[in-house]
PDB file of all heavy atoms in Angstrom:
ATOM      1  N   ARG A 155      -8.074 -78.868  14.618  1.00 98.00           N
ATOM      2  CA  ARG A 155      -8.728 -77.591  14.915  1.00 98.00           C
ATOM      3  C   ARG A 155      -8.035 -76.494  14.105  1.00 98.00           C
ATOM      4  O   ARG A 155      -6.843 -76.269  14.244  1.00 98.00           O
ATOM      5  CB  ARG A 155      -8.634 -77.284  16.405  1.00 98.00           C
ATOM      6  CG  ARG A 155      -9.228 -75.931  16.831  1.00 98.00           C
ATOM      7  CD  ARG A 155      -9.088 -75.774  18.336  1.00 98.00           C
ATOM      8  NE  ARG A 155      -9.664 -74.522  18.832  1.00 98.00           N
ATOM      9  CZ  ARG A 155      -8.947 -73.464  19.217  1.00 98.00           C
ATOM     10  NH1 ARG A 155      -7.619 -73.506  19.148  1.00 98.00           N
ATOM     11  NH2 ARG A 155      -9.541 -72.378  19.670  1.00 98.00           N
ATOM     12  N   GLY A 156      -8.805 -75.820  13.284  1.00 98.00           N
ATOM     13  CA  GLY A 156      -8.288 -74.688  12.545  1.00 98.00           C
ATOM     14  C   GLY A 156      -8.589 -73.388  13.263  1.00 98.00           C
ATOM     15  O   GLY A 156      -9.644 -73.241  13.883  1.00 98.00           O
ATOM     16  N   VAL A 157      -7.635 -72.447  13.201  1.00 98.00           N
ATOM     17  CA  VAL A 157      -7.811 -71.117  13.774  1.00 98.00           C
ATOM     18  C   VAL A 157      -7.420 -70.095  12.713  1.00 98.00           C
ATOM     19  O   VAL A 157      -6.323 -70.156  12.172  1.00 98.00           O
ATOM     20  CB  VAL A 157      -6.948 -70.920  15.034  1.00 98.00           C
ATOM     21  CG1 VAL A 157      -7.028 -69.472  15.519  1.00 98.00           C
ATOM     22  CG2 VAL A 157      -7.367 -71.873  16.138  1.00 98.00           C
ATOM     23  N   LEU A 158      -8.333 -69.171  12.417  1.00 98.00           N
ATOM     24  CA  LEU A 158      -8.058 -68.094  11.464  1.00 98.00           C
ATOM     25  C   LEU A 158      -7.762 -66.814  12.230  1.00 98.00           C
ATOM     26  O   LEU A 158      -8.593 -66.346  13.025  1.00 98.00           O
ATOM     27  CB  LEU A 158      -9.249 -67.877  10.535  1.00 98.00           C
ATOM     28  CG  LEU A 158      -9.113 -66.695   9.554  1.00 98.00           C
ATOM     29  CD1 LEU A 158      -7.981 -66.925   8.567  1.00 98.00           C
ATOM     30  CD2 LEU A 158     -10.433 -66.455   8.824  1.00 98.00           C
ATOM     31  N   LEU A 159      -6.595 -66.237  12.003  1.00 98.00           N
ATOM     32  CA  LEU A 159      -6.244 -64.933  12.553  1.00 98.00           C
ATOM     33  C   LEU A 159      -6.209 -63.928  11.407  1.00 98.00           C
ATOM     34  O   LEU A 159      -5.419 -64.076  10.467  1.00 98.00           O
ATOM     35  CB  LEU A 159      -4.902 -64.984  13.286  1.00 98.00           C
ATOM     36  CG  LEU A 159      -4.851 -65.913  14.503  1.00 98.00           C
ATOM     37  CD1 LEU A 159      -3.492 -65.845  15.181  1.00 98.00           C
ATOM     38  CD2 LEU A 159      -5.969 -65.591  15.500  1.00 98.00           C
ATOM     39  N   ASP A 160      -7.086 -62.933  11.474  1.00 98.00           N
ATOM     40  CA  ASP A 160      -7.308 -61.986  10.380  1.00 98.00           C
ATOM     41  C   ASP A 160      -6.569 -60.678  10.695  1.00 98.00           C
ATOM     42  O   ASP A 160      -7.063 -59.832  11.441  1.00 98.00           O
ATOM     43  CB  ASP A 160      -8.813 -61.745  10.226  1.00 98.00           C
ATOM     44  CG  ASP A 160      -9.156 -60.994   8.961  1.00 98.00           C
ATOM     45  OD1 ASP A 160      -8.292 -60.277   8.432  1.00 98.00           O
ATOM     46  OD2 ASP A 160     -10.310 -61.115   8.503  1.00 98.00           O
ATOM     47  N   ILE A 161      -5.406 -60.510  10.104  1.00 98.00           N
ATOM     48  CA  ILE A 161      -4.562 -59.356  10.430  1.00 98.00           C
ATOM     49  C   ILE A 161      -5.090 -58.056   9.812  1.00 98.00           C
ATOM     50  O   ILE A 161      -5.070 -57.009  10.489  1.00 98.00           O
ATOM     51  CB  ILE A 161      -3.096 -59.620  10.031  1.00 98.00           C
ATOM     52  CG1 ILE A 161      -2.606 -60.950  10.643  1.00 98.00           C
ATOM     53  CG2 ILE A 161      -2.205 -58.471  10.494  1.00 98.00           C
ATOM     54  CD1 ILE A 161      -2.766 -61.052  12.147  1.00 98.00           C
ATOM     55  N   PRO A 162      -5.589 -58.029   8.575  1.00 98.00           N
ATOM     56  CA  PRO A 162      -6.215 -56.793   8.096  1.00 98.00           C
ATOM     57  C   PRO A 162      -7.391 -56.355   8.960  1.00 98.00           C
ATOM     58  O   PRO A 162      -7.584 -55.154   9.196  1.00 98.00           O
ATOM     59  CB  PRO A 162      -6.660 -57.159   6.672  1.00 98.00           C
ATOM     60  CG  PRO A 162      -5.701 -58.222   6.250  1.00 98.00           C
ATOM     61  CD  PRO A 162      -5.461 -59.026   7.498  1.00 98.00           C
ATOM     62  N   ARG A 163      -8.195 -57.283   9.437  1.00 98.00           N
ATOM     63  CA  ARG A 163      -9.300 -56.944  10.350  1.00 98.00           C
ATOM     64  C   ARG A 163      -8.756 -56.290  11.608  1.00 98.00           C
ATOM     65  O   ARG A 163      -9.299 -55.295  12.091  1.00 98.00           O
ATOM     66  CB  ARG A 163     -10.088 -58.207  10.690  1.00 98.00           C
ATOM     67  CG  ARG A 163     -11.244 -58.008  11.664  1.00 98.00           C
ATOM     68  CD  ARG A 163     -11.901 -59.357  11.960  1.00 98.00           C
ATOM     69  NE  ARG A 163     -13.081 -59.225  12.809  1.00 98.00           N
ATOM     70  CZ  ARG A 163     -13.071 -59.241  14.132  1.00 98.00           C
ATOM     71  NH1 ARG A 163     -11.914 -59.382  14.779  1.00 98.00           N
ATOM     72  NH2 ARG A 163     -14.199 -59.132  14.814  1.00 98.00           N
ATOM     73  N   LEU A 164      -7.673 -56.851  12.155  1.00 98.00           N
ATOM     74  CA  LEU A 164      -7.060 -56.297  13.358  1.00 98.00           C
ATOM     75  C   LEU A 164      -6.620 -54.856  13.133  1.00 98.00           C
ATOM     76  O   LEU A 164      -6.832 -53.982  13.984  1.00 98.00           O
ATOM     77  CB  LEU A 164      -5.856 -57.154  13.757  1.00 98.00           C
ATOM     78  CG  LEU A 164      -4.967 -56.604  14.873  1.00 98.00           C
ATOM     79  CD1 LEU A 164      -5.685 -56.680  16.213  1.00 98.00           C
ATOM     80  CD2 LEU A 164      -3.636 -57.363  14.916  1.00 98.00           C
ATOM     81  N   ARG A 165      -6.024 -54.590  11.978  1.00 98.00           N
ATOM     82  CA  ARG A 165      -5.455 -53.270  11.701  1.00 98.00           C
ATOM     83  C   ARG A 165      -6.463 -52.299  11.084  1.00 98.00           C
ATOM     84  O   ARG A 165      -6.148 -51.123  10.886  1.00 98.00           O
ATOM     85  CB  ARG A 165      -4.250 -53.410  10.771  1.00 98.00           C
ATOM     86  CG  ARG A 165      -3.099 -54.208  11.366  1.00 98.00           C
ATOM     87  CD  ARG A 165      -1.874 -54.095  10.494  1.00 98.00           C
ATOM     88  NE  ARG A 165      -0.785 -54.965  10.917  1.00 98.00           N
ATOM     89  CZ  ARG A 165       0.361 -55.087  10.257  1.00 98.00           C
ATOM     90  NH1 ARG A 165       0.557 -54.385   9.149  1.00 98.00           N
ATOM     91  NH2 ARG A 165       1.315 -55.900  10.692  1.00 98.00           N
ATOM     92  N   GLY A 166      -7.656 -52.786  10.758  1.00 98.00           N
ATOM     93  CA  GLY A 166      -8.666 -51.919  10.176  1.00 98.00           C
ATOM     94  C   GLY A 166      -8.369 -51.520   8.747  1.00 98.00           C
ATOM     95  O   GLY A 166      -8.692 -50.405   8.323  1.00 98.00           O
ATOM     96  N   VAL A 167      -7.768 -52.447   7.969  1.00 98.00           N
ATOM     97  CA  VAL A 167      -7.443 -52.182   6.566  1.00 98.00           C
ATOM     98  C   VAL A 167      -8.015 -53.309   5.708  1.00 98.00           C
ATOM     99  O   VAL A 167      -8.393 -54.367   6.217  1.00 98.00           O
ATOM    100  CB  VAL A 167      -5.925 -52.062   6.348  1.00 98.00           C
ATOM    101  CG1 VAL A 167      -5.369 -50.864   7.122  1.00 98.00           C
ATOM    102  CG2 VAL A 167      -5.193 -53.339   6.762  1.00 98.00           C
ATOM    103  N   ARG A 168      -8.060 -53.085   4.391  1.00 97.00           N
ATOM    104  CA  ARG A 168      -8.591 -54.101   3.483  1.00 97.00           C
ATOM    105  C   ARG A 168      -7.599 -55.239   3.264  1.00 97.00           C
ATOM    106  O   ARG A 168      -7.990 -56.386   3.061  1.00 97.00           O
ATOM    107  CB  ARG A 168      -8.977 -53.454   2.150  1.00 97.00           C
ATOM    108  CG  ARG A 168     -10.095 -52.436   2.302  1.00 97.00           C
ATOM    109  CD  ARG A 168     -10.189 -51.534   1.088  1.00 97.00           C
ATOM    110  NE  ARG A 168     -10.742 -52.198  -0.090  1.00 97.00           N
ATOM    111  CZ  ARG A 168     -12.048 -52.365  -0.312  1.00 97.00           C
ATOM    112  NH1 ARG A 168     -12.922 -51.929   0.583  1.00 97.00           N
ATOM    113  NH2 ARG A 168     -12.481 -52.960  -1.398  1.00 97.00           N
ATOM    114  N   TRP A 169      -6.326 -54.896   3.282  1.00 98.00           N
ATOM    115  CA  TRP A 169      -5.263 -55.887   3.117  1.00 98.00           C
ATOM    116  C   TRP A 169      -3.950 -55.281   3.600  1.00 98.00           C
ATOM    117  O   TRP A 169      -3.844 -54.068   3.772  1.00 98.00           O
ATOM    118  CB  TRP A 169      -5.126 -56.325   1.656  1.00 98.00           C
ATOM    119  CG  TRP A 169      -4.977 -55.166   0.699  1.00 98.00           C
ATOM    120  CD1 TRP A 169      -3.895 -54.337   0.553  1.00 98.00           C
ATOM    121  CD2 TRP A 169      -5.964 -54.704  -0.233  1.00 98.00           C
ATOM    122  NE1 TRP A 169      -4.129 -53.393  -0.407  1.00 98.00           N
ATOM    123  CE2 TRP A 169      -5.401 -53.588  -0.926  1.00 98.00           C
ATOM    124  CE3 TRP A 169      -7.259 -55.119  -0.576  1.00 98.00           C
ATOM    125  CZ2 TRP A 169      -6.090 -52.894  -1.905  1.00 98.00           C
ATOM    126  CZ3 TRP A 169      -7.935 -54.422  -1.560  1.00 98.00           C
ATOM    127  CH2 TRP A 169      -7.354 -53.338  -2.207  1.00 98.00           C
ATOM    128  N   LEU A 170      -2.974 -56.138   3.821  1.00 98.00           N
ATOM    129  CA  LEU A 170      -1.628 -55.652   4.109  1.00 98.00           C
ATOM    130  C   LEU A 170      -0.932 -55.380   2.779  1.00 98.00           C
ATOM    131  O   LEU A 170      -1.046 -56.164   1.834  1.00 98.00           O
ATOM    132  CB  LEU A 170      -0.830 -56.680   4.903  1.00 98.00           C
ATOM    133  CG  LEU A 170      -1.397 -57.165   6.238  1.00 98.00           C
ATOM    134  CD1 LEU A 170      -0.320 -57.925   7.007  1.00 98.00           C
ATOM    135  CD2 LEU A 170      -1.952 -56.029   7.072  1.00 98.00           C
ATOM    136  N   GLU A 171      -0.219 -54.298   2.718  1.00 98.00           N
ATOM    137  CA  GLU A 171       0.494 -53.968   1.491  1.00 98.00           C
ATOM    138  C   GLU A 171       1.712 -54.878   1.326  1.00 98.00           C
ATOM    139  O   GLU A 171       2.312 -55.327   2.301  1.00 98.00           O
ATOM    140  CB  GLU A 171       0.934 -52.503   1.504  1.00 98.00           C
ATOM    141  CG  GLU A 171      -0.212 -51.516   1.360  1.00 98.00           C
ATOM    142  CD  GLU A 171      -0.915 -51.605   0.007  1.00 98.00           C
ATOM    143  OE1 GLU A 171      -0.304 -52.127  -0.949  1.00 98.00           O
ATOM    144  OE2 GLU A 171      -2.081 -51.161  -0.087  1.00 98.00           O
ATOM    145  N   PRO A 172       2.102 -55.160   0.074  1.00 98.00           N
ATOM    146  CA  PRO A 172       3.303 -55.959  -0.154  1.00 98.00           C
ATOM    147  C   PRO A 172       4.507 -55.379   0.583  1.00 98.00           C
ATOM    148  O   PRO A 172       4.723 -54.168   0.590  1.00 98.00           O
ATOM    149  CB  PRO A 172       3.486 -55.881  -1.673  1.00 98.00           C
ATOM    150  CG  PRO A 172       2.093 -55.689  -2.200  1.00 98.00           C
ATOM    151  CD  PRO A 172       1.415 -54.808  -1.187  1.00 98.00           C
ATOM    152  N   GLY A 173       5.260 -56.254   1.214  1.00 97.00           N
ATOM    153  CA  GLY A 173       6.416 -55.849   1.995  1.00 97.00           C
ATOM    154  C   GLY A 173       6.129 -55.711   3.476  1.00 97.00           C
ATOM    155  O   GLY A 173       7.053 -55.632   4.283  1.00 97.00           O
ATOM    156  N   ASP A 174       4.839 -55.699   3.852  1.00 97.00           N
ATOM    157  CA  ASP A 174       4.486 -55.563   5.260  1.00 97.00           C
ATOM    158  C   ASP A 174       4.666 -56.898   5.982  1.00 97.00           C
ATOM    159  O   ASP A 174       4.516 -57.966   5.397  1.00 97.00           O
ATOM    160  CB  ASP A 174       3.041 -55.080   5.392  1.00 97.00           C
ATOM    161  CG  ASP A 174       2.763 -54.444   6.736  1.00 97.00           C
ATOM    162  OD1 ASP A 174       3.646 -54.486   7.611  1.00 97.00           O
ATOM    163  OD2 ASP A 174       1.657 -53.899   6.914  1.00 97.00           O
ATOM    164  N   HIS A 175       4.963 -56.810   7.284  1.00 97.00           N
ATOM    165  CA  HIS A 175       5.240 -57.992   8.088  1.00 97.00           C
ATOM    166  C   HIS A 175       4.158 -58.219   9.132  1.00 97.00           C
ATOM    167  O   HIS A 175       3.673 -57.284   9.749  1.00 97.00           O
ATOM    168  CB  HIS A 175       6.569 -57.832   8.839  1.00 97.00           C
ATOM    169  CG  HIS A 175       7.757 -57.692   7.966  1.00 97.00           C
ATOM    170  ND1 HIS A 175       8.346 -58.757   7.319  1.00 97.00           N
ATOM    171  CD2 HIS A 175       8.492 -56.597   7.620  1.00 97.00           C
ATOM    172  CE1 HIS A 175       9.384 -58.331   6.631  1.00 97.00           C
ATOM    173  NE2 HIS A 175       9.495 -57.028   6.786  1.00 97.00           N
ATOM    174  N   VAL A 176       3.820 -59.489   9.346  1.00 98.00           N
ATOM    175  CA  VAL A 176       2.979 -59.898  10.473  1.00 98.00           C
ATOM    176  C   VAL A 176       3.913 -60.335  11.593  1.00 98.00           C
ATOM    177  O   VAL A 176       4.723 -61.253  11.419  1.00 98.00           O
ATOM    178  CB  VAL A 176       2.046 -61.050  10.085  1.00 98.00           C
ATOM    179  CG1 VAL A 176       1.239 -61.516  11.299  1.00 98.00           C
ATOM    180  CG2 VAL A 176       1.122 -60.636   8.950  1.00 98.00           C
ATOM    181  N   THR A 177       3.816 -59.686  12.728  1.00 98.00           N
ATOM    182  CA  THR A 177       4.687 -59.993  13.861  1.00 98.00           C
ATOM    183  C   THR A 177       3.994 -60.942  14.835  1.00 98.00           C
ATOM    184  O   THR A 177       2.780 -61.168  14.759  1.00 98.00           O
ATOM    185  CB  THR A 177       5.069 -58.702  14.602  1.00 98.00           C
ATOM    186  OG1 THR A 177       3.880 -58.165  15.222  1.00 98.00           O
ATOM    187  CG2 THR A 177       5.668 -57.673  13.648  1.00 98.00           C
ATOM    188  N   ALA A 178       4.783 -61.443  15.780  1.00 98.00           N
ATOM    189  CA  ALA A 178       4.194 -62.254  16.854  1.00 98.00           C
ATOM    190  C   ALA A 178       3.201 -61.425  17.653  1.00 98.00           C
ATOM    191  O   ALA A 178       2.155 -61.935  18.085  1.00 98.00           O
ATOM    192  CB  ALA A 178       5.302 -62.793  17.756  1.00 98.00           C
ATOM    193  N   GLY A 179       3.493 -60.138  17.822  1.00 98.00           N
ATOM    194  CA  GLY A 179       2.556 -59.253  18.509  1.00 98.00           C
ATOM    195  C   GLY A 179       1.239 -59.128  17.775  1.00 98.00           C
ATOM    196  O   GLY A 179       0.168 -59.062  18.394  1.00 98.00           O
ATOM    197  N   ASP A 180       1.296 -59.085  16.438  1.00 98.00           N
ATOM    198  CA  ASP A 180       0.066 -59.050  15.645  1.00 98.00           C
ATOM    199  C   ASP A 180      -0.766 -60.307  15.869  1.00 98.00           C
ATOM    200  O   ASP A 180      -1.996 -60.245  15.997  1.00 98.00           O
ATOM    201  CB  ASP A 180       0.396 -58.946  14.152  1.00 98.00           C
ATOM    202  CG  ASP A 180       0.909 -57.580  13.738  1.00 98.00           C
ATOM    203  OD1 ASP A 180       0.455 -56.577  14.309  1.00 98.00           O
ATOM    204  OD2 ASP A 180       1.754 -57.524  12.825  1.00 98.00           O
ATOM    205  N   LEU A 181      -0.105 -61.455  15.887  1.00 98.00           N
ATOM    206  CA  LEU A 181      -0.829 -62.710  16.075  1.00 98.00           C
ATOM    207  C   LEU A 181      -1.505 -62.748  17.447  1.00 98.00           C
ATOM    208  O   LEU A 181      -2.671 -63.129  17.561  1.00 98.00           O
ATOM    209  CB  LEU A 181       0.128 -63.892  15.919  1.00 98.00           C
ATOM    210  CG  LEU A 181       0.787 -64.044  14.547  1.00 98.00           C
ATOM    211  CD1 LEU A 181       1.776 -65.209  14.551  1.00 98.00           C
ATOM    212  CD2 LEU A 181      -0.249 -64.242  13.438  1.00 98.00           C
ATOM    213  N   ALA A 182      -0.790 -62.333  18.471  1.00 98.00           N
ATOM    214  CA  ALA A 182      -1.377 -62.313  19.825  1.00 98.00           C
ATOM    215  C   ALA A 182      -2.507 -61.295  19.917  1.00 98.00           C
ATOM    216  O   ALA A 182      -3.541 -61.550  20.553  1.00 98.00           O
ATOM    217  CB  ALA A 182      -0.291 -62.007  20.857  1.00 98.00           C
ATOM    218  N   ALA A 183      -2.327 -60.128  19.272  1.00 98.00           N
ATOM    219  CA  ALA A 183      -3.374 -59.105  19.302  1.00 98.00           C
ATOM    220  C   ALA A 183      -4.613 -59.565  18.551  1.00 98.00           C
ATOM    221  O   ALA A 183      -5.747 -59.280  18.959  1.00 98.00           O
ATOM    222  CB  ALA A 183      -2.845 -57.798  18.718  1.00 98.00           C
ATOM    223  N   ALA A 184      -4.428 -60.268  17.439  1.00 98.00           N
ATOM    224  CA  ALA A 184      -5.572 -60.798  16.688  1.00 98.00           C
ATOM    225  C   ALA A 184      -6.327 -61.824  17.519  1.00 98.00           C
ATOM    226  O   ALA A 184      -7.568 -61.864  17.506  1.00 98.00           O
ATOM    227  CB  ALA A 184      -5.096 -61.416  15.367  1.00 98.00           C
ATOM    228  N   GLU A 185      -5.608 -62.655  18.238  1.00 98.00           N
ATOM    229  CA  GLU A 185      -6.272 -63.607  19.138  1.00 98.00           C
ATOM    230  C   GLU A 185      -7.161 -62.869  20.136  1.00 98.00           C
ATOM    231  O   GLU A 185      -8.327 -63.242  20.334  1.00 98.00           O
ATOM    232  CB  GLU A 185      -5.227 -64.422  19.901  1.00 98.00           C
ATOM    233  CG  GLU A 185      -4.522 -65.483  19.109  1.00 98.00           C
ATOM    234  CD  GLU A 185      -3.601 -66.310  19.984  1.00 98.00           C
ATOM    235  OE1 GLU A 185      -3.012 -65.753  20.942  1.00 98.00           O
ATOM    236  OE2 GLU A 185      -3.481 -67.517  19.727  1.00 98.00           O
ATOM    237  N   ALA A 186      -6.605 -61.844  20.754  1.00 98.00           N
ATOM    238  CA  ALA A 186      -7.369 -61.098  21.760  1.00 98.00           C
ATOM    239  C   ALA A 186      -8.585 -60.428  21.139  1.00 98.00           C
ATOM    240  O   ALA A 186      -9.686 -60.447  21.711  1.00 98.00           O
ATOM    241  CB  ALA A 186      -6.463 -60.061  22.425  1.00 98.00           C
ATOM    242  N   ALA A 187      -8.416 -59.841  19.960  1.00 98.00           N
ATOM    243  CA  ALA A 187      -9.516 -59.137  19.293  1.00 98.00           C
ATOM    244  C   ALA A 187     -10.608 -60.093  18.841  1.00 98.00           C
ATOM    245  O   ALA A 187     -11.790 -59.732  18.805  1.00 98.00           O
ATOM    246  CB  ALA A 187      -8.977 -58.336  18.107  1.00 98.00           C
ATOM    247  N   GLN A 188     -10.236 -61.304  18.497  1.00 98.00           N
ATOM    248  CA  GLN A 188     -11.188 -62.273  17.963  1.00 98.00           C
ATOM    249  C   GLN A 188     -11.700 -63.247  19.024  1.00 98.00           C
ATOM    250  O   GLN A 188     -12.569 -64.085  18.727  1.00 98.00           O
ATOM    251  CB  GLN A 188     -10.538 -63.054  16.808  1.00 98.00           C
ATOM    252  CG  GLN A 188     -10.174 -62.179  15.618  1.00 98.00           C
ATOM    253  CD  GLN A 188      -9.361 -62.914  14.558  1.00 98.00           C
ATOM    254  OE1 GLN A 188      -8.601 -62.301  13.822  1.00 98.00           O
ATOM    255  NE2 GLN A 188      -9.506 -64.223  14.462  1.00 98.00           N
ATOM    256  N   GLY A 189     -11.162 -63.186  20.223  1.00 98.00           N
ATOM    257  CA  GLY A 189     -11.613 -64.069  21.291  1.00 98.00           C
ATOM    258  C   GLY A 189     -11.276 -65.521  21.063  1.00 98.00           C
ATOM    259  O   GLY A 189     -12.075 -66.418  21.351  1.00 98.00           O
TER     260      GLY A 189
END
Side-chain angles (χ1 to χ4, degrees):
R155 177 179 182 255
V157 174
L158 176 64
L159 298 182
D160 191 336
I161 307 305
R163 178 183 184 271
L164 171 71
R165 297 190 187 176
V167 297
R168 297 164 73 82
W169 52 71
L170 303 193
E171 289 295 339
D174 201 353
H175 298 283
V176 177
T177 67
D180 287 326
L181 298 177
E185 286 185 326
Q188 296 172 207

